[in-house]
Amino acid sequence: LSWLSKFSAMFVFGDSLVDNGNNNYLISFAKANFVSYGIDTSWGPTGRFSNGKILIDLLGELLGHPYLPSFTATQRQGKSITWGVNYASAAAGILDETETHLGQHITFKEQVHNFQTTINQLKATMDDIGPLGCTPHQISTKGLFPSGACRDDVNSMIVLFNDGLKSLVDELNTQYNGSSIFVYGNTYGVLMQIIQDPIAYGKKLEN
């Protein structure tokens, strides 16, 4: 399962099978934040439609990640989005009108919109700072990581974000059809070239 190490974050969309609490704050019959849900866990009922862990929890464990926060928790409680976010909502479907008789839920379209909110949050924290895993603060970290080495786990998150950003730029250029022009600048790639071959750019890295 060495391929699992390539995934530094998870972003989950879906319905009750993977909802981990997004419906807790909605007016809906499709909720699972009460017993007997969660009775086989130490944390009790959280909004997961299970007596224990759900599939996404188990997959996260295989990846070595903490349990994902629900999107609602990232907005209301400031939960970290470092390892990804869960946007799933019980009773949600491809069609907006799916299961509306159960009350409020977050449609798939709205889940995608919430993902965009997360992207904006990531951009706000990463804007113009390139390979964050190679900043002086990160490469000087002692203990868990080799001192002087770039943090691959941090950089992999930047790559994931940049890949999504390129798609977003293409989408925006199509949407605005020339009335506005959106440009993707790969500062990460440029800085990594300098870091990997500093002599070619007249630089020398000091440990």
Side-chain angles (χ1 to χ4, degrees):
L1 297 177
S2 60
W3 57 272
L4 289 173
S5 62
K6 298 179 181 179
F7 297 91
S8 59
M10 290 194 302
F11 298 92
V12 179
F13 305 84
D15 56 16
S16 60
L17 293 176
V18 287
D19 184 354
N20 68 345
N22 278 305
N23 276 24
N24 290 352
Y25 299 91
L26 302 181
I27 301 174
S28 173
F29 289 109
K31 289 186 178 183
N33 56 347
F34 52 88
V35 293
S36 297
Y37 294 110
I39 60 173
D40 292 330
T41 67
S42 59
W43 56 68
T46 59
R48 292 168 168 82
F49 285 76
S50 171
N51 60 307
K53 300 172 185 177
I54 56 177
L55 176 62
I56 293 303
D57 297 325
L58 300 175
L59 181 57
E61 289 178 352
L62 285 175
L63 295 173
H65 294 177
Y67 297 129
L68 291 180
S70 64
F71 173 76
T72 306
T74 69
Q75 302 301 297
R76 290 175 175 260
Q77 304 170 25
K79 295 289 186 179
S80 172
I81 59 178
T82 300
W83 301 100
V85 178
N86 188 328
Y87 306 93
S89 173
I94 296 297
L95 301 178
D96 289 352
E97 57 268 25
T98 300
E99 301 290 1
T100 52
H101 65 283
L102 293 175
Q104 294 178 328
H105 61 263
I106 305 170
T107 67
F108 182 72
K109 183 187 299 183
E110 290 171 328
Q111 291 180 37
V112 173
H113 175 77
N114 290 341
F115 174 64
Q116 181 63 61
T117 298
T118 300
I119 291 296
N120 291 339
Q121 289 179 290
L122 288 170
K123 186 177 186 300
T125 60
M126 301 175 183
D127 196 20
D128 298 328
I129 47 198
L132 296 181
C134 299
T135 60
H137 171 71
Q138 296 291 354
I139 64 177
S140 64
T141 301
K142 294 179 174 59
L144 293 178
F145 304 94
S147 180
C150 290
R151 289 274 303 275
D152 290 338
D153 62 322
V154 175
N155 283 344
S156 63
M157 288 187 289
I158 309 302
V159 173
L160 177 67
F161 170 76
N162 285 346
D163 287 343
L165 184 59
K166 283 186 287 186
S167 298
L168 176 60
V169 168
D170 291 339
E171 179 182 333
L172 289 172
N173 280 319
T174 300
Q175 179 179 342
Y176 286 90
N177 195 27
S179 61
S180 297
I181 299 176
F182 298 84
V183 178
Y184 170 78
N186 188 5
T187 56
Y188 176 93
V190 172
L191 290 176
M192 283 304 295
Q193 287 183 27
I194 296 174
I195 290 170
Q196 292 169 356
D197 190 10
I199 296 177
Y201 296 89
K203 304 289 183 180
K204 181 180 179 181
L205 294 180
E206 299 291 344
N207 292 329

